[in-house]
Amino acid sequence: MTTQLTSGGPAAGRRETGPLVAVSGLSVAFSAGPGEGSGGIVRAVDALSFELAPGGALGIVGESGSGKSTAAYALLGLHRDTGADVTGSVTVAGHDVQAADDAGLRRLRGGVAAMVFQDPLSSLDPYQAVGDQIAEVYRVHHRDASRREARARAAEVLDRVGIPDAARRARSRPHEFSGGMRQRALIAMALACRPQLLVADEPTTALDVTVQDQILGLLRELRAETGMGLILVTHDLGVAAGSVDDLLVMKDGRAVEHGPVRDVLHAPREDYTRDLLAAVPRVNVRRETRTDGLPQAGGDDSVLLEASALRREFGRGKRAVTAVDDVSLTVRAGETVGVVGESGSGKTTLGRMLVRLLEPTGGRLSYRGRDIGGMKERELRAFRSELQMVFQDPVSSLNPRRSIGESIADPLRAAGKLDDAAIVARVRELLERVGLDPASYHRYPHEFSGGQRQRVGIARALAPEPKLIVCDEPVSALDVTTQAQVVRLLGELQRDLGLALVFIAHDLAVVRQVSDRLVVMRGGRIVEEGPADTVYERPAHAYTKGLLAAVPRLEAAEAPA
Amino acid sequence: MTGYLLRRAAGALAVLLVLSVVVYATFYIAPGDPARLACGPRCNPGQIAQVRAQLSLGDPVYLQYWHFLQGIVAGHDYSTGTALLHCDAPCFGLSYQNNQQVTDMLIERLPATASLAVGAMAVALLLGTGTGLLSALRRGGITERVLTWLTLAGTATPVFISGLGLLMLFCAYLAWLPFPTYVPLTGDPEQWAWNMLLPWAALGLLESAKYARLMRSSMLETLAEDHIRTFRAYGVAERKLVTRHALRGAVAPVIALSAADFGSMFGGAVLTEMMFGLPGIGALLVHATTTLDLPVVVAVVMVTGTAVVIANIVADVLYAAADRRVALR
């Protein structure tokens, strides 16, 4: 039933009786570049086989580095001319992707199978109107279509994915769209040529929960309406659970488990799947009670940091934007305050003010009774070591040209209390404390995985023996398993060292796993605050209820059929 | 946009004002008495005193500087003892060498310099971006290797050697071209072009390699961006990926650099002008410096400074036009 795709016949619109996607024995290998040492070969995908029935939906899940995206790229032949060695067979809607010539492959891409990428901002051409980009794709596959027809189709699909006033907004450039609208626009581009298969690579990872919920709903709707097949690649089992029929769990390039969603979630056969499931943070499960009682037995729980009517504006005059408005908050020694909200809610600005990386433009901020809100940099220096921050992006917040040991040593050198030998000894101790090999002092950030890099970031924050650490989205760049490990590490550190944590995140489930108290922010203000369990179980504010309702849940899908 | 341009113009004026103070100081730092220099080597003390009075050199320094600025903005009157000479704004004074108005001398020299700058920039851009694009898209081809070698050789060779080589090859040995003599564009456009060919080639080659490098790295960087991958995944052909999606982003830094370079060519192409005997501003500057003709030196520096400042504003505007995400404020 395999038809060779050559520069002749029509590509789209065939009806196939066989599976929509048939992958058998697929292997993708990259040669490791010079400097990787072995000069060997990295097998990103290893002997992978699966099928997808027409109109079916398959979720490919796994940790980062498991080869799930590499496998998805192979469906569109995107490894061609990249130096990757692809073997095995990939058939999409009857077209042999491996054997297709370049022109045939171009017709397949977008016409038969369309791809939606992860980062909706960088995945659109910044210089061109969104509608023009969709129209261009349409004309690649409909050569006889006029510009006007292509524009009309672009407006039609933009309207279909829920862009308001689509005909007019089609003339906007990507930077004029919000994150959610950009992802809708990318989905519209995928729809433009009525493909039989949609391949979505982490389509919601860069989005807030509420927007994620809308996008996943849109994908379900479109599938029901057009009957196209869906392959959803994600590290988040919760995202996959509600949107697909079958799950394929990948590890190190191999499929470890494959079956209907309910079976895989309810009765996983493999340990790896069980670990993956256990790592998924549950928004409706209480935080594990601490074995040694609340804020550290015998420890003090005095007020550490107190903010009252804190305010921060950016810009001046008409362009002024108030990022944080009238926020009052106390953090006690040894407790964790979770801060949640959508992007733009002022979480990060608040976090930066709490450690005085930013100066508040109004209100009062006191640390152990001293007003640090308007303090000059010289006076602040005495408090710097006690207030530390862990940043979201473990890649860009470490200097790539310095060894990690040097990066961790920086705050110690700045404090100037220890001599060189003592600093090196302390850094080794810190590396061990966060679960890294002390011998990795002289290694560079690119040699570490995302989770390890975040451990380095935590070690750096711990170095000057702080009393309070503000963690700004510390795990949102990591996959669930690594997330769980880093969250566990933070919990241990807090227990052992009596640290106070302010944990900022958009993922409500993760925040629940660490927080004693919870603050919900919206538009720069606090809309709800209270003990974490109370807020999660009996949210008072409509906004909190909306956020909680948008969190994808595994439980419904886990229940036996 | 208008507000932005007004603010930039105000900034440019401030820069030029500072420049004028620094340059005006050369009158007092340069060796020799300005009055003696202006009067000439065979003047007697009486004549020097007369010139000193004419040039108001006895006034306090700040007053002299004020008159200098006034001359640029509103013009100036000079008495040559017998007659009153009016120097129209912008007036940079009179040349010490021949009492000619410096402004007239500059205007006379501008066409040759402008001819050289425009043509050389065109050569540098065509050769540089062409080579850069080739080495980004078809690395290793014979054309790419020859062009890359040529631009690097052109940049590595001082213009008085490459210029001499070009002259010997094309004018003396092959005799394809006449030895260049400057013919004004308005006089005979065809002869103008033939005579400017070698100066353009020499200066263009000198500038080309940096454009090749910039174009290459900028194109490779753009091609690695996510949005290129998107269109590749939708079946857009490679050639169109480059022309429709990558080129626009990739040329933005090239445009910005070339505008700034263009400004500095208006006073900086001294060697090329000397080499080919072009009667341009660079040659004027060399002559004025060797004869300590201070008003001319000051004027050339001011004009060059103005060209660089304006070119930088143009560069920023062009950059913003190429990349709509850049907001001019």
Side-chain angles (χ1 to χ4, degrees), chain A residues 265-483:
Chain A
L265 294 183
H266 182 61
R269 278 175 288 121
E270 297 292 324
D271 289 344
Y272 179 74
T273 315
R274 265 190 284 277
D275 292 346
L276 208 56
L277 276 168
V280 175
R282 315 287 171 115
V283 74
N284 47 356
V285 172
R286 286 179 177 236
R287 182 184 188 186
E288 289 169 43
T289 43
R290 299 193 219 188
T291 46
D292 53 348
L294 268 174
Q296 207 197 18
D300 75 318
D301 60 348
S302 58
V303 171
L304 214 50
L305 196 67
E306 189 165 15
S308 61
L310 212 56
R311 189 179 166 82
R312 173 75 201 197
E313 281 137 17
F314 291 102
R316 277 175 301 180
K318 278 185 205 155
R319 271 196 259 269
V321 177
T322 308
V324 169
D325 191 7
D326 194 22
V327 165
S328 301
L329 182 72
T330 49
V331 184
R332 292 176 182 276
E335 75 166 346
T336 304
V337 177
V339 179
V340 296
E342 294 177 274
S343 45
S345 61
K347 314 186 288 286
T348 295
T349 306
L350 175 65
R352 288 181 177 236
M353 280 196 288
L354 293 181
V355 294
R356 268 307 310 274
L357 283 177
L358 263 181
E359 194 175 342
T361 49
R364 219 183 109 83
L365 180 66
S366 64
Y367 174 71
R368 296 217 271 181
R370 286 283 303 272
D371 182 7
I372 60 167
M375 213 178 245
K376 294 269 177 295
E377 191 55 44
R378 287 183 67 88
E379 300 171 81
L380 263 179
R381 221 166 279 169
F383 299 95
R384 283 274 181 235
S385 61
E386 300 187 18
L387 301 168
Q388 288 292 316
M389 188 144 184
V390 172
F391 299 92
Q392 168 171 9
D393 187 348
V395 180
S396 62
S397 55
L398 287 171
N399 185 342
R401 288 176 191 84
R402 305 189 65 205
S403 75
I404 56 152
E406 288 304 306
S407 284
I408 297 171
D410 275 343
L412 295 172
R413 291 194 207 285
K417 287 178 196 150
L418 299 174
D419 62 21
D420 266 11
I423 287 174
V424 172
R426 170 95 177 113
V427 171
R428 287 176 184 276
E429 182 192 317
L430 285 164
L431 283 170
E432 194 157 15
R433 187 66 266 259
V434 297
L436 292 172
D437 180 2
S440 52
Y441 186 101
H442 294 291
R443 293 170 65 189
Y444 288 82
H446 72 267
E447 299 176 60
F448 294 89
S449 69
Q452 289 173 322
R453 271 183 264 201
Q454 197 54 289
R455 287 172 191 265
V456 174
I458 292 170
R460 179 171 58 179
L462 286 176
E465 298 181 15
K467 298 276 190 291
L468 174 111
I469 299 182
V470 171
C471 305
D472 185 10
E473 300 274 9
V475 296
S476 46
L478 309 174
D479 56 46
V480 281
T481 340
T482 323
Q483 263 182 12

Side-chain angles (χ1 to χ4, degrees), chain B:
Chain B
M1 186 68 185
T2 320
Y4 169 78
L5 286 179
L6 284 176
R7 267 192 302 282
R8 285 299 300 262
L13 274 182
V15 169
L16 291 175
L17 214 56
V18 172
L19 182 66
S20 75
V21 171
V22 174
V23 170
Y24 195 75
T26 52
F27 275 111
Y28 299 94
I29 294 164
D33 174 8
R36 180 179 288 278
L37 287 168
C39 190
R42 267 171 297 192
C43 280
N44 60 37
Q47 286 167 316
I48 291 175
Q50 203 186 349
V51 169
R52 192 183 308 273
Q54 278 167 20
L55 296 178
S56 314
L57 287 173
D59 289 352
V61 175
Y62 66 87
L63 208 59
Q64 288 186 46
Y65 174 69
W66 178 246
H67 286 308
F68 166 73
L69 285 187
Q70 227 171 17
I72 295 174
V73 179
H76 201 278
D77 288 323
Y78 289 94
S79 80
T80 54
T82 50
L84 200 68
L85 193 71
H86 181 67
C87 173
D88 286 325
C91 173
F92 288 98
L94 305 177
S95 163
Y96 288 172
Q97 288 294 309
N98 50 16
N99 267 3
Q100 229 191 323
Q101 292 196 10
V102 172
T103 312
D104 292 344
M105 294 169 75
L106 282 175
I107 291 172
E108 199 182 299
R109 299 285 187 134
L110 205 57
T113 294
S115 304
L116 179 64
V118 171
M121 186 48 76
V123 170
L125 277 178
L126 281 176
L127 188 63
T129 53
T131 308
L133 280 179
L134 264 183
S135 53
L137 304 173
R138 300 212 201 301
R139 191 157 180 76
I142 184 76
T143 327
E144 188 265 324
R145 272 192 269 177
V146 168
L147 283 174
T148 301
W149 182 85
L150 188 70
T151 55
L152 283 174
T155 301
T157 318
V159 77
F160 48 84
I161 292 178
S162 62
L164 205 60
L166 286 171
L167 282 174
M168 281 169 64
L169 181 66
F170 290 104
C171 306
Y173 182 65
L174 294 170
W176 288 354
L177 291 168
F179 277 95
T181 46
Y182 179 69
V183 178
L185 175 65
T186 46
D188 183 347
E190 199 189 330
Q191 280 306 309
W192 168 79
W194 281 116
N195 280 290
M196 289 303 294
L197 217 50
L198 287 185
W200 287 341
L203 186 56
L205 262 178
L206 186 71
E207 300 280 327
S208 62
K210 72 177 166 198
Y211 290 106
R213 297 206 67 141
L214 184 63
M215 186 74 234
R216 175 180 131 79
S217 61
S218 175
M219 178 51 88
L220 287 178
E221 212 171 280
T222 314
L223 279 177
E225 282 174 12
D226 285 351
H227 64 91
I228 300 296
R229 179 190 63 187
T230 303
F231 289 95
R232 188 174 285 134
Y234 278 95
V236 175
E238 289 296 313
R239 197 166 43 83
K240 276 204 163 171
L241 285 180
V242 173
T243 55
R244 285 189 61 106
H245 297 285
L247 204 52
R248 184 164 181 181
V251 296
V254 175
I255 292 172
L257 179 68
S258 66
D261 269 353
F262 192 65
S264 54
M265 272 192 189
F266 264 79
V270 176
L271 286 174
T272 316
E273 287 183 9
M274 295 299 284
M275 182 73 230
F276 293 98
L278 290 172
I281 288 175
L284 179 68
L285 178 63
V286 173
H287 185 69
T289 312
T290 51
T291 56
L292 281 175
D293 197 345
L294 297 180
V296 176
V297 174
V298 169
V300 170
V301 173
M302 288 306 295
V303 166
T304 309
T306 311
V308 170
V309 166
I310 292 175
N312 270 299
I313 297 176
V314 172
D316 287 348
V317 171
L318 285 177
Y319 198 99
D323 188 343
R324 296 285 285 267
R325 291 166 301 175
V326 176
L328 297 175
R329 330 207 138 109

